Amino acid sequence: MATPAIQRTTGPLDGLRLEASGPPGPADQLIADHLRLLGAEGPDRAGSGLALTGAGFAAVTAHTAWGTAPGVTDEATVQAATGVMAVHGRRDGAPHGLAVDYAATATGLLAVQGLLAGLLAQARGGSFTTVDVTAERAGLLAVSQYLAADGAEEGEAVELGPGGPPFTAADGTLFELETLDPGAWAAYWRALGAPEEAIRRGWRPFQFRYATACAPFPPVLHDVTRASSWEHISYAADVSGAEVCPLRSLAERAREYDGAAPWKLTPYEAAHSSSGQARKAPLAGLTVLEAGRRIQAPLAAHLLGLLGADVIRVEPPGGDPLRGMPPACSGVSARWLALNRGKAAVELDIKSAGDRDRLRAMAAEADVFLHNWAPGKADQLGLERSQLAAINPSLVYAYTSGWADRLPGAPMGTDFMVQARTGVGEAARPAGEPPAPSLMTLLDVLGGLLGAEAVLAGLLLRERTGHGMRVDSSLLGAADVLTAPARERIARGLDPRRPAGFRRPLATRDGWVAPADACATEASTYDLRELPTADALELLRGHGLAATSVTTDLSGLHHDPRFAGSISRDTHGAPAVPDPWRFA
């Protein structure tokens, strides 16, 4: 197949048209919206099959489905089967469904990635024309860190149990607290008069909540905030260096929403030309240089690696400290492996002028430089986009941030603070329950997916124009994508929250079952508490109600017949979920 000729274009999909087919599939609206934002023309709504055609490309078609496992037929049953309900429910001590369509959102982002990757492969001489994505694989990807930890050869370093933020002030204000510094944590609680023993015992579960999705710290800490005015709580944060953020409502976010796309593509100097050589994987032959921490940027680079890129991690002297985070498999953190297996690594001290020169030399040979450093750090180090573009004008420079400079005065750009500030804490819980950001890292994962999508869009636009590119994505963009349906309900004058009891699984004698959303009301009329799970499912299905069992122990997914053969183990023995796409 001939490589499409470089042409003048402002969006990666300019000149291409959407053609929808098939019945409704997961995240139709999201897929269509993102493709049109990237320049494609065509219907507002997609189907379970969607093709991009034109501009000298052979048609690339994405097929989406909920899954192939028996009983997995919609968002509720995907969340139940893949362990999303179990992880989100750890704070509550029982499985709890997310009231947002999280698996469908991830599926939509992965489908857009697959279409962009297929077009990029064609532009580089390949011939990928179809991609299949299922919501069950998206769900497994979303819980991959938790699955890896549950399947490790050693136990957790901290207690798993119910509990966690948000906190409540004396006037009823719900708020999130964030600090990465144990000294600031202690100073904050001392300013509120908390007991020293509770301060000491509370730090580790609070620190590890990103990894465990729960934080069973001493209940007295909640008592302390309930006895404190919001003014005193804000003062304690100011003098300690910790940060607090009141939970915002969806209506507040809708009023301030600026309508910005979830990423920004900024071309710069023309210098790139494609080799036009056929490739065995969409990104084969491309090099991604990643200087990422925690989840967002490492996951974006991990996805690019799964698509065939060679990924090189930049780590501090001595290696990434998270390599040692328990639990471990063959001496390496299982959680770290879930995001970083297969990557090469180089240790650099970016505070050293000599090592910064080494990093610049590596960037000069790379196709992508990806980081999620704190705002202003790249410029301070002389590693901003304009500075690296001077030595590699064809570089795709990718920054995955918290806020994308869209909210002046915003708090620290971490997952739970962004959830609190953008109304995700309200959207994640149905009416009748207090708003609470999920302790599952919802936005870090979606932010990683958006980061990979932005990089793929930048690489495709580079192939079509010859221009290097800066691409920006953020946790704020991820939050806005996730809550878009709720904001649409507000615009129609409807309640943005789902009704009370929404996606609450039903207890059986030995576990839980989750009915499909359309069947939940009727299913709740049956008392299943004295029935074994298998019998409860048989009863519901006998009445024509779709349902599936709820995964409560993620380590059991290895042997779950619903996912037979899907979950493997890597060379360290750590559980590994399947690639989220299938290309042909």
Side-chain angles (χ1 to χ4, degrees), residues 458-486:
L459 287 168
L460 178 59
L461 191 53
R462 182 183 77 163
E463 290 293 331
R464 298 191 68 192
T465 65
H467 286 256
M469 197 77 46
R470 172 168 177 151
V471 300
D472 290 86
S473 61
S474 65
L475 299 182
L476 175 61
D480 286 339
V481 168
L482 184 61
T483 58

Side-chain angles (χ1 to χ4, degrees), residues 138-160:
L140 290 174
L141 177 68
V143 301
S144 59
Q145 295 179 79
Y146 308 101
L147 169 62
D150 282 8
E153 59 197 26
E154 62 181 25
E156 291 280 7
V158 294
E159 173 191 359
L160 299 184

Side-chain angles (χ1 to χ4, degrees), residues 80 83 86 90 95 150 510-512 550-555:
R90 285 180 180 178
D150 282 8
D510 57 355
W512 303 82
V550 178
T551 295
T552 54
D553 177 6
L554 271 64
S555 64

